[in-house]
Amino acid sequence: MAQNPETPPIDRLLAIMARLRDPEHGCEWDLAQSFETIAPYTIEEAYEVSDAIERCDMDELRSELGDLLLQVVFHARMAEEAGHFTFDDVATAISDKMQTRHPHIFGDQDGVMDSKRWEDLKAAEREQSGSTSAMDGVASALPALLRSEKLQKRAARVGFEWHDIKGPTDKLLEELQELNEASDEEKLLEAGDVLFVAVNIIRRYGVDAEQALKASNAKFERRFRAMEALATADGHQFDRLSLDQQESYWQRVKQAEKQS
């Protein structure tokens, strides 16, 4: 397929995907795909976009955004083939939604768009779509911590919320006790209850639970690698050290971080 320099880039991408999915001359792998098989790649590409942003790598971000856009085009192409909708329908729908959600910019309403106003508009959209529950619309495929936070925010919007931080803090102690006393069959749900309440506490402090855990994961990995390096430099094999010896390296790493 020769490139026409006058073809808009998005039209070129759409044409490439149409060719890849051509029943007679397309790519065997692309033709074998479905919404279900492509969905994991879509999620993976979104995480890779996030990773590039965190590393402030703009060249990589440009590339990863292209990969993510390809996923949108892929899904839209499969939907068009099945007679559901087209890529233009997707673009039109999100354009309509953004204009509707910004009446202070595109409409005749004054004021600024704060989080409450945004959520009120989204709630009105859910009501118009026939939604009957505050829980409707929270995607089940979201990471568990993020989905937990969203579910709790939805509940809080209709008044189902502790009045202060003492409520979830006391509940966390209760859930930890229940986990400690749980049978093997009960441990999974009781452990989930502990995490769910912990997310509630973190949310009440205005902290994003998913980002908080991500930061702690990165800190733990950084410190653990540093412990291993120190042990090796001292002539030790880390996994053969006692727990007390390993802990001493952990404290050395923490102290070095404070001094840097």
Side-chain angles (χ1 to χ4, degrees), residues 136-153:
D136 288 347
V138 182
S140 59
L142 287 172
L145 285 179
L146 177 58
R147 188 164 194 266
S148 174
E149 185 172 5
K150 285 185 174 293
L151 290 172
Q152 292 176 25
K153 285 181 177 179

Side-chain angles (χ1 to χ4, degrees), residues 101-157:
R101 289 184 178 178
H102 293 81
H104 61 305
I105 301 296
F106 302 104
D108 55 3
Q109 295 185 18
D110 296 326
V112 296
M113 180 60 68
D114 57 21
S115 59
K116 182 180 185 304
R117 193 172 184 182
W118 179 262
E119 288 298 331
D120 286 343
L121 285 167
K122 291 171 66 177
E125 289 175 3
R126 290 194 294 272
E127 186 175 343
Q128 290 176 0
S129 68
S131 172
T132 59
S133 171
M135 300 289 105
D136 288 347
V138 182
S140 59
L142 287 172
L145 285 179
L146 177 58
R147 188 164 194 266
S148 174
E149 185 172 5
K150 285 185 174 293
L151 290 172
Q152 292 176 25
K153 285 181 177 179
R154 290 286 186 86
R157 282 182 58 79

Side-chain angles (χ1 to χ4, degrees), residues 71-84:
Q71 298 301 306
V72 177
V73 169
F74 208 138
H75 285 288
R77 181 63 197 179
M78 290 187 291
E80 182 176 355
E81 292 168 358
H84 299 309

Side-chain angles (χ1 to χ4, degrees), residues 161-216:
E161 175 82 305
W162 277 289
H163 295 300
D164 53 42
I165 197 67
K166 185 177 185 303
T169 301
D170 290 345
K171 186 64 175 176
L172 178 60
L173 296 176
E174 176 187 326
E175 294 297 351
L176 284 169
Q177 182 63 31
E178 290 182 5
L179 175 59
N180 184 57
E181 298 172 354
S183 65
D184 289 343
E185 293 77 17
E186 297 170 333
K187 276 187 169 59
L188 179 67
L189 286 179
E190 295 299 343
D193 289 345
V194 170
L195 289 172
F196 193 85
V197 178
V199 168
N200 193 298
I201 294 172
I202 293 167
R203 178 176 60 83
R204 299 295 288 271
Y205 281 107
V207 176
D208 183 288
E210 190 78 20
Q211 292 302 314
L213 184 57
K214 193 171 185 179
S216 289

Side-chain angles (χ1 to χ4, degrees), residues 13 17 38 41-46 48-49 60-75:
L13 180 57
M17 179 51 64
I38 290 297
Y41 295 103
T42 307
I43 295 170
E44 179 181 346
E45 295 300 350
E48 291 182 359
V49 166
E60 189 68 16
L61 178 58
R62 177 186 58 206
S63 175
E64 296 300 345
L65 285 172
D67 291 343
L68 185 57
L69 177 59
L70 176 64
Q71 298 301 306
V72 177
V73 169
F74 208 138
H75 285 288

